[in-house]
Structures are given as C-alpha cells and as structure tokens.
Amino acid sequence: MDNNKLDILKEWISNSTNIVFFGGAGVSTESGIPDFRSVDGLYNQEYAYPPERIISHSFYLSNTEEFFRFYKNKMLILDAKPNITHIKLAQLEKQGKLKGIVTQNIDGLHQIAGSKNVLELHGSIHRNYCQSCGSFYNAEFIKNSGSIPKCKCGGIVKPDVVLYEEPLDNSTIKESIKLISQADVLIVGGTSLIVQPAASLIDFYNGNKLVLINKSTTPADDKADLLIHASLGEIFSQF
C-alpha cells in the first residue's frame, strides 16, 4: 500500500463534511458475497444457462422457476455480515462527514451496518412485492417459499431487484446525480465501472477530489485525482 496516498485520503476525509461513496460488488466480497466478474465470480461458474441470461427480465418471464432456483441459491444471501468498509462508512455518516452512499449492491449490508442515506441503484433483496396485488414480503419469505414464491392472493412475488433489460428507478437516478454532483469528495470503490448506466453517474461529479479504490484497473482510472489499487478492506481498516 502507498502510505502517501493513504495520508492524502485521510486528510481529504478529515477536512470534508460532504463526502459521497459510490460502491460496487467489491464492497461486499469481503462479507462472503461473490461478485459477477472476477475469476471466482458468478459469471465464471457453470450453469445450464449463463447467469447474465438467468437474471434477465425475459428469462424471468419465460423460465420463472429456474430464475428463482438460481436467485435463491446464488443471490439471496441472508447470513452475510457487514465488513469493515460498511462499518467505517456508517461511522463517517454518523460523524456528519458522509452525506450518502450510492450502491450497485442489492444485499442491504450498508443499512445493516447503520448507514441511513443509501441509494440502491439495482434494488434490494429485502424488498419483494406481489405482481398482482402489490403486497410486500421480506427476503426470508422468498428464501423459505416453494419453487416460485406466491402471494396469499395467488400472484407471483418478485424481488425488487433490477434485472437485465429492466430500467433503473428514475427517482433513484435523480437523487444519485444530485448527491454526486454536490459532493466535495467522491470515493468510488469496489466497482469495475463497466455496468451502465450506473457507471456513468460518476461523470456528474464536479469536484477535484475523486478517489478511486479498486484492486484492478477501471475505465475511469485516468479521471481519478487519487488512484489506489487495493482492496477496500485494506484501506478502511487504516481508519
């Protein structure tokens, strides 16, 4: 780890009360939740169908039972605990330094750690709604349901997660743009910055303290004012 870069990051955080964190799968991998694109990620495991096809809207409609089999086995992880990154971000918010988190993750670990202002671009496993009557169900209901979760009215209960071919929630996008555009320090961590339109949201940052923390290179490396190639746990454990 470059100690000089760590010192700069500490100074920026110390002097700011308007920090925003934008995170991806790498935030939660240290909690045991697999990502999609690493060597050990879901995209590199063997299934009857490619995972990116299974978690598409069209596949959900045409092969609902197989969708839920994959979803419950590989995406509905309820025993994961927040790691040091989740915990430190929640502490920064409590201290009045962090204004909000924009996350591509659906696991809810930021909220479990204590963060209040969390914008979930891709939804959450903890929200599930009947497609017929709109009744709400929690994640445990989905986990313990039959092959296809059914509401008391008979409708299918669908997770409130954004599948491929589905649009992001417009209000969440607007709130994220507002948060990022007004930030003093923007910390981007644990994301490949490949998935669109989420990745393009960092283009709305207007400041000069763009921090990019990721183990591998990203398309935005040359935009960073502070570039750190390391795991988030390695960095946030120093605070």
Side-chain angles (χ1 to χ4, degrees):
M1 185 192 303
D2 188 325
N3 288 327
N4 183 51
K5 289 185 176 182
L6 184 60
D7 289 340
I8 293 171
L9 177 58
K10 287 181 176 180
E11 180 183 355
W12 287 0
I13 290 176
S14 176
N15 294 332
S16 177
T17 56
N18 189 7
I19 303 166
V20 171
F21 181 83
F22 179 96
V27 178
S28 293
T29 51
E30 290 175 51
S31 291
I33 295 179
D35 69 359
F36 276 74
R37 288 176 174 77
S38 70
V39 173
D40 298 318
L42 293 180
Y43 279 13
N44 290 285
Q45 299 178 22
E46 293 295 324
Y47 298 97
Y49 302 91
E52 61 268 36
R53 181 180 171 194
I54 296 175
I55 55 174
S56 67
H57 180 75
S58 56
F59 190 90
Y60 169 78
L61 293 177
S62 64
N63 204 333
T64 309
E65 185 171 338
E66 181 67 9
F67 166 86
F68 276 108
R69 188 174 74 85
F70 176 87
Y71 178 81
K72 288 195 275 188
N73 286 341
K74 297 299 180 183
M75 299 178 70
L76 193 59
I77 302 172
L78 301 182
D79 57 355
K81 305 296 183 187
N83 59 53
I84 190 66
T85 302
H86 298 108
I87 293 167
K88 291 296 183 180
L89 289 171
Q91 290 175 354
L92 287 173
E93 184 186 50
K94 192 172 183 180
Q95 292 165 10
K97 291 185 167 296
L98 185 77
K99 293 302 183 186
I101 293 169
V102 180
T103 180
Q104 298 174 79
N105 297 335
I106 61 174
D107 50 53
L109 290 179
H110 284 297
Q111 291 93 326
I112 295 172
S115 292
K116 304 299 183 186
N117 189 21
V118 182
L119 298 175
E120 297 171 309
L121 294 172
H122 296 149
S124 172
I125 62 172
H126 298 285
R127 296 188 301 269
N128 306 272
Y129 298 97
C130 173
Q131 293 184 283
S132 296
C133 73
S135 293
F136 170 85
Y137 290 88
N138 61 23
E140 286 76 14
F141 173 85
I142 301 294
K143 191 77 172 179
N144 298 323
S145 67
S147 57
I148 299 177
K150 292 289 184 69
C151 174
K152 55 185 178 293
C153 79
I156 297 174
V157 180
K158 182 180 183 292
D160 186 21
V161 298
V162 179
L163 305 178
Y164 284 107
E165 305 165 356
E166 292 180 345
L168 302 188
D169 178 72
N170 193 46
S171 63
T172 305
I173 289 288
K174 286 182 178 179
E175 289 181 55
S176 299
I177 290 173
K178 182 180 180 182
L179 199 63
I180 290 171
S181 64
Q182 295 177 349
D184 173 31
V185 178
L186 176 62
I187 303 175
V188 179
T191 172
S192 62
L193 292 174
I194 292 174
V195 177
Q196 298 292 351
S200 63
L201 290 179
I202 70 167
D203 295 336
F204 290 93
Y205 176 60
N206 297 310
N208 61 358
K209 295 181 178 68
L210 173 58
V211 183
L212 184 51
I213 306 170
N214 202 51
K215 288 194 288 188
S216 57
T217 59
T218 78
D221 280 10
D222 59 344
K223 299 179 183 179
D225 299 297
L226 182 61
L227 178 63
I228 302 175
H229 283 146
S231 71
L232 285 164
E234 186 179 2
I235 298 303
F236 280 96
S237 62
Q238 303 297 314
F239 286 84

